[in-house]
């Protein structure tokens, strides 16, 4: 870690010398290397970026730093101007890459004695608050509280200061399209327990692998109280000692687990005698308390965007970009279901887009463009568009000068049989439809045109800043987010054709005096499912504040009409305190169309209350 920080400081103060020191570890440039866009060079770039040597280019890893150095070396070789921080090709920014936990403890206290729970039987969630807790035990069934009255597992229970134990998931007879599934997530259950003053929440799982899983959920805000997983065997022992009766877990029957998995509970236990207090209040136990201590620490690292410029002579700039990170060895976002850890090389996602950005940079470096062209390789996309979101908030060139953004993400799998090329953002400027059609005369792509400029790749960060965008991709496939996305699966001749086509569209945009921006109206089927209400807020996934920060509101949406603006941080929605996006989603599921809901936002130093009139989604 110390060596890594020294390296970053060296980048800031002596980029030339550091660059010379690191290039020795990189492969030689593609040979031959020519300004023309070629399948040969695309293959060479992808083969290196998607090699096992780079271990899947996970954000915050040493391997992705080598990928960044490779991209910067190529930019320098083409003659691009460094357009990052402090005269370098790099823009550094902090990321949270995971979480760690240690020294956790859970024990039963009764009559002066202490009985420790086996450490393998429990685990804090990554969003658990750190700290000690002690309290009487309250069993709240599934821990679901629906304000509409469909279900309230806390009805009649006194949980202030208590350690609440609940089952994972929700009952099998639940309407999957109703509010209950959204209220049954671990985050939603933590919110319900926190609102009632619980000292801690323990969620019972039968699957021991689910208990031991410690996957970071990508939200830096904790739940506001200690929250842990408890194995069913430990829960049964605790219920026996507390006189609650382990049969009370059994009586819930099978349950649908909170991450979408099903977990059948089939306990065969005897009904121990219940204490008088427990009989009087079947949710509480007498003379038995749980004591615990959880420690969760987020892992914070530094990663880098790589940015180079081909300088133009007219005002304004065009951005051509794509992300160069991937999933490393898997983890969050991986669709691999094997048990042996495997490198996720991400050849198509997105070594292909990175290679095409490099080829476009080399091509335009010899073209003397009218407007400055900024070529960007973003890090942290797989973690929530972090790199592009950081750049638009902290631009290294004036954001107001950006006339359009072209995003390349998964452009390496053009199929000869279909020649399908998808282009998103076609409605964000009136010039796009003519351009993509006019330059498709020779290529004869089967174009799939999507109007909206908002989506799950880096163009979305620019679209929220009212910048016209086009997003090119050749489609999903069975290797997506799996270890099998390797360099030998790409169709490089097809990628060459796609990249040449993009070059023509970029050149067309460069020659225009104006690229008008249009906001695309949201369609009904694009709104978030599982909610009965529509608000229209656009989340800022890169935010680290407590609360739910937005990058804006969709035009004419309830949020827009209420006066919500870019940068607002929602801290309360109705009666729900909002600490993160998960609290916000839970809050939405608690309301119905037609309600006028007071929403508290932080806007700079001001705390404002806005009224949002909810509509049906």
């Amino acid at each position: 870690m110390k060596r890594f920080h020294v390296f970053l400081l060296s980048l800031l103060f002596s980029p030339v010398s550091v660059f010379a020191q690191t290039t020795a570890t990189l492969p030689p440039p593609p040979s031959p290397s020519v300004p023309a866009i070629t399948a040969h060079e695309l293959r060479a770039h992808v083969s290196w970026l998607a090699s096992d040597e780079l271990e899947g280019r996970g954000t915050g890893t040493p391997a992705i730093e080598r990928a960044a150095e490779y991209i910067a070396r190529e930019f320098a070789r083409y003659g691009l101007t460094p357009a990052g921080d402090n005269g370098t090709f790099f823009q550094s920014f902090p990321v949270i890459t995971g979480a760690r936990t240690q020294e956790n403890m859970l024990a039963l206290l009764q009559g002066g004695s202490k009985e420790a729970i086996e450490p393998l039987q429990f685990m804090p969630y990554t969003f658990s608050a750190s700290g000690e807790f002690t309290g009487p035990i309250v069993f709240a069934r599934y821990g679901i509280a629906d304000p509409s009255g469909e279900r309230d597992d806390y009805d009649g229970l006194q949980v202030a200061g208590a350690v609440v134990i609940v089952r994972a998931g929700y009952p099998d007879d639940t309407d999957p399209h109703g509010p209950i599934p959204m209220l049954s997530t671990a985050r939603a259950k933590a919110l319900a327990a926190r609102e009632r003053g619980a000292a801690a929440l323990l969620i019972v799982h039968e699957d021991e692998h689910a208990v031991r899983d410690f996957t970071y959920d990508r939200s830096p805000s904790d739940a506001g109280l200690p929250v842990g997983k408890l194995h069913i065997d430990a829960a049964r022992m605790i219920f026996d000692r507390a006189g609650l009766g382990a049969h009370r877990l059994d009586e819930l029957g099978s349950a649908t687990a909170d991450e979408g998995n099903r977990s059948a509970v089939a306990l065969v236990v005897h009904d121990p005698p219940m204490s008088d207090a427990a009989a009087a209040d079947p949710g509480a136990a007498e003379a038995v308390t749980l004591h615990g201590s959880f420690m969760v620490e987020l892992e914070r690292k530094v990663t880098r965007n790589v940015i180079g410029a081909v300088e133009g002579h007219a005002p304004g700039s065009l951005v051509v970009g794509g992300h160069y990170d991937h999933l490393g060895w898997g983890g969050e976002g991986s669709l691999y279901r094997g048990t042996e850890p495997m490198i996720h090389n991400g050849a198509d996602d997105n070594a292909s887009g990175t290679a095409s950005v490099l080829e476009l940079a080399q091509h335009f470096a010899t073209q003397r463009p009218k407007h400055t062209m900024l070529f960007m390789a973003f890090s942290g996309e797989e973690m929530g568009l972090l790199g592009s979101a950081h750049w638009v908030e902290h631009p290294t060139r004036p954001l107001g000068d950006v006339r359009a953004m072209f995003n390349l993400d998964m452009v390496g799998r053009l199929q000869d049989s279909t020649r399908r090329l998808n282009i998103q953002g076609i409605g964000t400027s009136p010039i796009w439809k003519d351009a993509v059609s006019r330059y498709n005369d020779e290529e004869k792509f089967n174009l799939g045109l999507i109007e909206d400029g908002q989506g799950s790749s880096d163009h979305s960060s620019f679209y929220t800043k009212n910048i016209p965008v086009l997003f090119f991709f050749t489609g999903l496939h069975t290797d997506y987010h799996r270890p099998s996305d390797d360099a030998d699966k790409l169709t490089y001749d097809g990628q060459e054709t796609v990249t040449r086509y993009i070059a023509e569209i970029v050149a067309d945009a460069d020659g225009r005096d104006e690229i008008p921006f249009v906001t695309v109206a949201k369609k009904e089927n694009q709104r978030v499912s599982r909610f009965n209400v529509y608000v229209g807020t656009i989340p800022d996934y890169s935010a680290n504040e407590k609360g739910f920060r937005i990058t804006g509101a969709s035009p004419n949406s309830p949020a827009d009409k209420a006066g919500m603006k870019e940068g607002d941080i929602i801290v309360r929605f109705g009666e729900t305190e909002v600490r993160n996006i998960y609290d916000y989603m839970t809050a939405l599921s608690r309301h119905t169309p037609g309600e006028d809901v007071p929403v508290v936002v932080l806007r700079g130093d001001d705390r404002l209350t806005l009224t949002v009139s909810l509509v049906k989604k």
Side-chain angles (χ1 to χ4, degrees):
M1 195 69 177
K2 182 178 179 182
R3 176 176 168 271
F4 184 61
H5 284 151
V6 170
F7 174 69
L8 288 174
L9 289 172
S10 299
L11 277 177
L12 293 177
F13 296 109
S14 56
V16 175
S17 62
V18 171
F19 187 76
Q21 292 169 13
T22 57
T23 52
T25 66
L26 303 178
S31 180
S33 180
V34 296
I37 296 166
T38 68
H40 166 75
E41 290 187 69
L42 289 167
R43 181 189 296 272
H45 293 316
V46 172
S47 296
W48 161 248
L49 292 169
S51 65
D52 285 352
E53 191 172 349
L54 292 191
E55 298 186 40
R57 308 183 307 281
T59 298
T61 65
I64 198 175
E65 293 305 308
R66 296 185 68 198
E69 292 158 13
Y70 177 87
I71 297 165
R73 184 198 71 184
E74 293 299 287
F75 282 171
R77 195 168 64 85
Y78 307 151
L80 271 63
T81 303
D85 294 329
N86 302 295
T88 74
F89 286 108
F90 304 115
Q91 180 190 38
S92 300
F93 61 97
V95 291
I96 300 173
T97 58
R100 65 172 67 91
T101 185
Q102 61 183 358
E103 299 178 354
N104 300 305
M105 180 271 294
L106 189 63
L108 270 172
L109 305 181
Q110 186 174 27
S113 64
K114 179 178 180 180
E115 183 175 2
I117 308 297
E118 166 62 40
L120 294 178
Q121 297 287 293
F122 68 94
M123 173 75 76
Y125 282 88
T126 59
F127 58 81
S128 170
S130 295
E132 291 191 37
F133 56 89
T134 303
I137 303 163
V138 170
F139 176 48
R141 295 170 65 83
Y142 290 100
I144 298 171
D146 177 16
S148 70
E150 182 175 336
R151 184 182 186 94
D152 185 0
D153 288 335
Y154 286 95
D155 186 32
L157 299 181
Q158 301 297 320
V159 301
V163 177
V164 178
I165 298 178
V166 302
R167 279 287 308 167
Y170 55 85
D172 279 345
D173 59 0
T174 298
D175 177 6
H177 303 293
I180 297 303
M182 186 58 68
L183 296 171
S184 71
T185 66
R187 280 275 194 174
K189 294 183 182 190
L191 174 60
R194 185 185 83 213
E195 290 177 328
R196 288 158 178 80
L201 174 69
L202 299 176
I203 301 177
V204 178
H205 291 261
E206 186 177 7
D207 183 356
E208 63 181 22
H209 296 293
V211 174
R212 302 306 303 168
D213 180 51
F214 193 68
T215 302
Y216 174 54
D217 72 356
R218 297 183 179 176
S219 174
S221 176
D222 66 50
L225 79 168
V227 186
K229 307 171 189 180
L230 186 66
H231 191 263
I232 191 70
D233 291 342
R236 177 166 51 182
M237 184 274 286
I238 291 170
F239 274 45
D240 282 343
R241 300 288 194 276
L244 287 172
H247 73 291
R248 302 192 60 212
L249 292 169
D250 185 37
E251 72 183 13
L252 295 183
S254 62
T256 302
D258 61 350
E259 301 303 330
N261 303 316
R262 298 179 61 80
S263 175
V265 180
L267 300 180
V268 181
V269 297
H270 296 290
D271 181 5
M274 190 176 293
S275 68
D276 291 341
D281 179 358
E286 184 181 54
V288 175
T289 60
L290 267 176
H291 174 65
S293 177
F294 291 164
M295 194 290 289
V296 175
E297 182 181 0
L298 298 180
E299 297 177 342
R300 302 177 186 272
K301 297 185 179 181
V302 174
T303 192
R304 298 181 289 178
N305 294 329
V306 190
I307 310 165
V310 176
E311 306 292 354
H313 58 83
S317 60
L318 299 171
V319 172
V320 179
H323 73 94
Y324 72 102
D325 64 303
H326 195 51
L327 302 180
W329 286 79
E332 183 73 13
S334 172
L335 300 178
Y336 170 61
R337 294 296 176 260
T339 56
E340 179 183 354
M342 296 188 70
I343 297 172
H344 291 52
N345 281 320
D348 192 26
D349 186 17
N350 185 36
S352 67
T354 305
S356 290
V357 169
L358 288 172
E359 283 292 272
L360 289 167
Q362 185 178 25
H363 169 74
F364 281 106
T366 65
Q367 298 300 307
R368 296 183 178 273
K370 177 179 179 181
H371 302 91
T372 294
M373 293 189 180
L374 298 172
F375 294 91
M376 302 187 182
F378 302 111
S379 184
E381 190 269 357
E382 298 288 3
M383 300 176 67
L385 318 184
L386 300 186
S388 56
H390 182 80
W391 192 87
V392 299
E393 293 298 332
H394 308 278
T396 55
R397 293 287 181 96
L399 182 65
D401 288 350
V402 178
R403 308 171 71 239
M405 190 272 180
F406 304 89
N407 181 33
L408 287 67
D409 192 349
M410 299 179 63
V411 292
R413 293 285 192 103
L414 185 73
Q415 301 301 312
D416 288 337
S417 58
T418 64
R419 295 197 63 77
R420 179 74 169 185
L421 175 62
N422 302 290
I423 307 178
Q424 185 172 349
I426 202 74
T428 63
S429 179
I431 74 167
W432 291 147
K433 288 184 180 178
D434 172 69
V436 301
S437 174
R438 185 177 349 133
Y439 295 104
N440 193 29
D441 53 349
E442 294 183 7
E443 291 80 0
K444 297 294 188 292
F445 294 122
N446 173 19
L447 296 178
L449 303 182
I450 304 166
E451 294 277 332
D452 196 8
Q454 191 172 319
S456 57
S457 191
D458 290 305
H459 61 285
S460 191
S461 298
F462 290 81
Y463 176 68
T464 60
K465 298 297 185 180
N466 296 336
I467 295 172
V469 298
L470 284 180
F471 165 36
F472 300 87
F473 69 112
T474 51
L476 295 176
H477 43 75
T478 56
D479 299 311
Y480 172 71
H481 278 200
R482 292 179 172 87
S484 53
D485 184 10
D486 287 324
D488 60 358
K489 302 284 185 69
L490 271 59
T491 55
Y492 293 102
D493 288 340
Q495 186 178 348
E496 176 188 317
T497 305
V498 170
T499 309
R500 289 177 181 269
Y501 171 68
I502 296 171
E504 291 182 294
I505 295 173
V506 173
D508 179 273
D510 179 49
R512 292 178 181 264
D513 293 329
E514 185 180 7
I515 306 177
F517 172 76
V518 175
T519 299
V520 181
K522 276 283 190 181
K523 295 181 180 179
E524 290 293 323
N525 60 8
Q526 291 177 302
R527 293 174 181 164
V528 179
S529 61
R530 277 195 166 179
F531 303 129
N532 291 322
V533 298
Y534 171 59
V535 179
T537 50
I538 303 173
D540 182 351
Y541 292 107
S542 67
N544 290 328
E545 305 96 339
K546 286 186 178 179
F548 174 62
R549 189 174 189 266
I550 65 173
T551 61
S554 297
N556 298 316
S557 66
D560 184 36
K561 293 176 181 178
M564 289 192 188
K565 298 181 178 180
E566 176 188 346
D568 282 353
I569 303 172
I570 299 172
V571 294
R572 181 169 290 276
F573 193 94
E575 296 300 315
T576 304
E577 179 191 3
V578 175
R579 295 169 62 95
N580 47 61
I581 189 173
Y582 301 97
D583 290 353
Y584 179 70
M585 291 190 295
T586 300
L588 293 185
S589 65
R590 291 174 167 180
H591 292 277
T592 57
E595 288 185 60
D596 291 333
V597 180
V599 180
V600 179
V601 304
L602 302 180
R603 183 178 296 167
D605 295 330
D606 297 326
R607 184 181 180 94
L608 308 176
T609 299
L610 308 175
T611 300
V612 175
S613 299
L614 302 178
V615 299
K616 185 177 177 60
K617 73 179 182 71

